[in-house]
Amino acid sequence: MKTQSNTDAQRTMQDEAIYWHVLLSSGRATQSDWMAFTRWLEENPERNEAYDFVVSSWEAVSEQEVFTPAPTTNDFGIAYFQTLLHKFSGLMNTRPWALAGGFAAAAMIMVMLAPTIFNQPATYTPEIYATNVGEQRSITLADGSTVVLNTDTKIAVNITQHARSIELQQGQAFFTVQHENNRVFEVMANGLRITDIGTSFDVKAVDTQTQVSVIDGIVEVKPKAADEQASPVRLIAGQQAMHSANDNIKVKSFDLNQATAWQRGNLVFKDDKLSMVVTEINRYFKKPLRLADDDLAEVLFSGVIQMSDQKRTVHDLAALLSLRVIATDDEFILTQNPIEPNQ
Amino acid sequence: MSLKELNAIFLAQRANLCRFVAARLRNEAMAEDIVQEVWLKIEKSTTPEVIDNPDGYLFTIANRLCLDVIRQQKRQKVREEKWTEQTTTKLDGIATSQEQDAESMLLQAERIRKVRLAISKLPTKSQQAFKLHRMQEMSHKEVAAEMGISVSTVEKHIIRAMKELVQTLKEDQ
């Protein structure tokens, strides 16, 4: 028979389950605590369900709404802003607003100061991963997300209990993110802040140019300098955002195959200026390639270039464009001249 | 701590972990596999250097994996029941599931209202401790520092809030 109200015995079991949940999630539960919990479970199969119910209840209140009734006190206002700040900051390790006291005005100031505070270097040391020119490398982060680093790339990784933040200091990286509700995944590149909503995406930072290409899912991008209230630009799969210093974010669609080709050792170009093609190829090799004259810079090129070995890469490109290659000790030169001057 | 040291602790705790998983899942046959998965998970994604309570850490991971299994089993059961219901009564699948969605959203809103009310009735300190712990994911220790009270007092506050919460949701079932 099942009744609406709990019996005393059920209530006791429920309270015990709560006690176990609080102890076991405190971070200080020892092996003997866990074994005591095991014995408690073994004694009565119904206890498993009581414990499941407590854990589900705990998880059910993750919604913001539960804690945001009509604000009646200033104290509440602070708590709400703290939560918001915490959500947005991602990077915060310290909690300076704890000093703000009970004034809503102070909370507002914190909101306004937030961008400056968040840009301060954190107190912990990030992990650095880097690749040399011509090298590619795949790494798995502590949260299970993966990053593939392209040539000449450097990232700083900060994964804490509360936040996952990566700074792309130079180069290009492809991210496949393990989605978590409680920890946003954030990538900083040049002046751009990229926030993931569960996805895989590619970020390229060359000079002051930043390019974000979404392969799967959704990401949000926002200039780092923008204030906290400004709404981010939302990108869906197949969209690419371009951003350079002091510039608006431009969004266009892109060829998925093209943006991820580097991971297969290819570069794909479609009506791209030869000057840009050369710059792109030069990211992968130490010995520079240059164009013999400026007229060539404007030539448009479409095609797939394999990045295995520089000599072959350069000759492939030359062949596709009916150009010639001059190789010296220090550089490769692409030229239109069909014949050497002295021949 | 190195991964190797953590592995030594894992091996030492292996039998205990198996007993725990068997009790949690009520299934001894699955225990070995789940415990093996605990190690695979650690190997893949742990930074052993930051672990200060390795025993607790191992059990916590095992507990989480058990929870995943339990959830999966429940979902499976619900799916099977739904399927039986739909095929035997020949309901219009799409329309019905949409109606159910709207209904469950209403229920959800009502539940949130009740939980809010229950929490708002708690003493201010309990509310504050619970909020900091749950919403800002502060550890008991961090909440204690933030509020200027002892860890055991924090835990009393959290237990109190949890009792209200669980009871409210139970009555709502």
Side-chain angles (χ1 to χ4, degrees):
Chain A
M1 191 182 71
K2 210 175 169 185
T3 55
Q4 270 304 94
S5 63
N6 307 5
T7 64
D8 282 352
Q10 277 172 331
R11 188 67 192 255
T12 308
M13 182 157 71
Q14 189 173 301
D15 286 352
E16 284 171 350
I18 290 169
Y19 166 80
W20 282 117
H21 170 74
V22 172
L23 173 66
L24 298 177
S25 57
S26 70
R28 62 176 173 82
T30 61
Q31 179 251 341
S32 53
D33 291 328
W34 282 97
M35 291 322 287
F37 176 56
T38 303
R39 285 190 295 278
W40 180 77
L41 290 174
E42 283 169 348
E43 280 162 23
N44 179 351
E46 284 175 32
R47 288 175 176 173
N48 262 305
E49 278 173 40
Y51 177 72
D52 285 340
F53 192 83
V54 169
V55 175
S56 302
S57 305
W58 167 254
E59 286 175 355
V61 289
S62 65
E63 293 97 355
Q64 192 89 11
E65 304 147 83
V66 172
F67 288 116
T68 55
T72 49
T73 63
N74 281 340
D75 192 52
F76 181 75
I78 289 278
Y80 183 54
F81 275 115
Q82 282 174 0
T83 312
L84 277 184
L85 279 174
H86 190 77
K87 269 208 130 151
F88 284 124
S89 70
L91 273 175
M92 290 298 292
N93 199 25
T94 54
R95 298 187 177 83
W97 58 71
L99 305 169
F103 303 101
M108 286 312 295
I109 290 167
M110 290 310 299
V111 170
M112 288 185 283
L113 286 177
T116 18
I117 294 167
F118 300 152
N119 287 337
Q120 280 173 3
T123 47
Y124 37 70
T125 39
E127 274 178 77
I128 306 288
Y129 299 93
T131 48
N132 290 319
V133 173
E135 189 193 352
Q136 288 183 355
R137 184 178 166 196
S138 170
I139 49 178
T140 302
L141 304 177
D143 68 330
S145 299
T146 57
V147 188
V148 187
L149 304 183
N150 199 359
T151 172
D152 199 16
T153 298
K154 194 169 167 190
I155 61 168
V157 178
N158 254 318
I159 294 192
T160 68
Q161 206 184 338
H162 306 297
R164 300 181 288 171
S165 173
I166 289 161
E167 189 191 346
L168 176 63
Q169 296 176 338
Q170 65 180 65
Q172 182 173 25
F174 180 85
F175 299 90
T176 305
V177 179
Q178 286 277 338
H179 183 67
E180 289 182 16
N181 283 327
N182 299 326
R183 284 193 297 184
V184 269
F185 191 95
E186 233 177 12
V187 179
M188 310 287 183
N190 287 329
L192 213 58
R193 181 194 301 269
I194 303 140
T195 318
D196 145 77
I197 315 190
T199 188
S200 49
F201 59 98
D202 188 277
V203 183
K204 185 164 135 189
V206 177
D207 301 326
T208 57
Q209 278 260 333
T210 318
Q211 174 191 296
V212 183
S213 318
V214 180
I215 281 72
D216 190 20
I218 302 169
V219 302
E220 290 183 342
V221 294
K222 191 169 157 177
K224 264 196 262 181
D227 67 274
E228 288 288 304
Q229 313 294 332
S231 46
V233 176
R234 188 168 263 231
L235 303 175
I236 58 167
Q239 286 189 322
Q240 185 175 66
M242 290 289 283
H243 179 255
S244 51
N246 308 321
D247 202 7
N248 287 332
I249 295 171
K250 292 189 189 81
V251 179
K252 61 173 181 114
S253 60
F254 72 101
D255 180 359
L256 285 178
N257 203 16
Q258 185 171 357
T260 56
W262 64 267
Q263 292 180 62
R264 298 181 290 278
N266 293 333
L267 288 181
V268 181
F269 299 99
K270 205 178 161 199
D271 292 333
D272 289 311
K273 282 184 186 165
L274 198 50
S275 55
M276 183 274 210
V277 174
V278 168
T279 309
E280 191 62 24
I281 290 174
N282 277 336
R283 290 172 55 214
Y284 293 81
F285 302 110
K286 284 199 172 112
K287 194 167 162 180
L289 167 69
R290 72 171 175 89
L291 300 172
D293 56 88
D294 291 343
D295 291 352
L296 280 175
E298 299 296 313
V299 171
L300 296 182
F301 172 69
S302 298
V304 180
I305 302 284
Q306 264 209 334
M307 303 300 289
S308 47
D309 148 277
Q310 188 173 17
K311 203 173 158 193
R312 208 184 125 191
T313 301
V314 171
H315 278 94
D316 282 352
L317 177 67
L320 288 165
L321 286 160
S322 306
L323 296 174
R324 273 191 60 246
V325 181
I326 301 170
T328 71
D329 286 346
D330 309 316
E331 57 182 2
F332 287 99
I333 305 162
L334 276 181
T335 171
Q336 303 192 65
N337 299 343
I339 312 158
E340 290 277 356
N342 59 357
Q343 278 180 334
Chain B
M1 174 169 305
S2 68
L3 198 63
K4 210 174 154 190
E5 286 168 297
L6 189 59
N7 188 249
I9 296 170
F10 169 76
L11 293 174
Q13 290 295 341
R14 203 188 172 108
N16 284 334
L17 287 165
C18 280
R19 185 175 155 194
F20 164 68
V21 171
R24 188 79 184 84
L25 298 180
R26 296 263 134 205
N27 185 337
E28 278 183 36
M30 279 177 85
E32 281 277 345
D33 285 350
I34 300 282
V35 170
Q36 195 52 41
E37 237 178 273
V38 170
W39 182 253
L40 292 178
K41 202 168 171 125
I42 288 174
E43 226 176 11
K44 199 178 139 203
S45 61
T46 298
T47 322
E49 291 76 20
V50 301
I51 296 170
D52 58 354
N53 175 5
D55 291 332
Y57 183 78
L58 294 169
F59 279 97
T60 302
I61 302 234
N63 196 22
R64 229 174 276 159
L65 290 176
C66 288
L67 199 65
D68 289 345
V69 172
I70 291 166
R71 296 263 155 90
Q72 214 176 330
Q73 288 170 345
K74 277 190 184 150
R75 274 197 298 271
Q76 175 99 16
K77 217 175 135 194
V78 169
R79 264 202 306 272
E80 279 165 9
E81 278 167 7
K82 262 194 183 157
W83 188 81
T84 321
E85 206 174 275
Q86 288 192 355
T87 46
T88 49
T89 56
K90 303 223 187 299
L91 293 173
D92 180 348
I94 297 163
T96 313
S97 65
Q98 276 173 354
E99 279 160 25
Q100 278 170 352
D101 275 356
E103 196 193 332
S104 71
M105 271 169 73
L106 271 176
L107 280 173
Q108 178 67 8
E110 176 60 13
R111 195 171 299 145
I112 288 173
R113 197 189 62 78
K114 282 182 185 162
V115 168
R116 242 189 235 182
L117 190 71
I119 290 175
S120 70
K121 281 182 189 159
L122 287 167
T124 325
K125 293 264 179 192
S126 290
Q127 283 188 44
Q128 196 188 351
F130 189 60
K131 271 181 207 164
L132 291 173
H133 182 42
R134 183 66 187 105
M135 292 307 291
Q136 292 184 219
E137 293 175 49
M138 287 190 191
S139 68
H140 296 175
K141 218 163 136 187
E142 287 173 306
V143 176
E146 179 94 17
M147 293 178 63
I149 55 180
S150 72
V151 172
S152 68
T153 311
V154 168
E155 286 176 1
K156 274 180 204 138
H157 285 313
I158 292 171
I159 286 174
R160 170 135 197 205
M162 281 298 289
K163 281 185 180 174
E164 276 312 311
L165 171 68
V166 172
Q167 190 57 29
T168 306
L169 290 170
K170 194 102 210 170
E171 282 163 9
D172 197 57
Q173 261 192 329

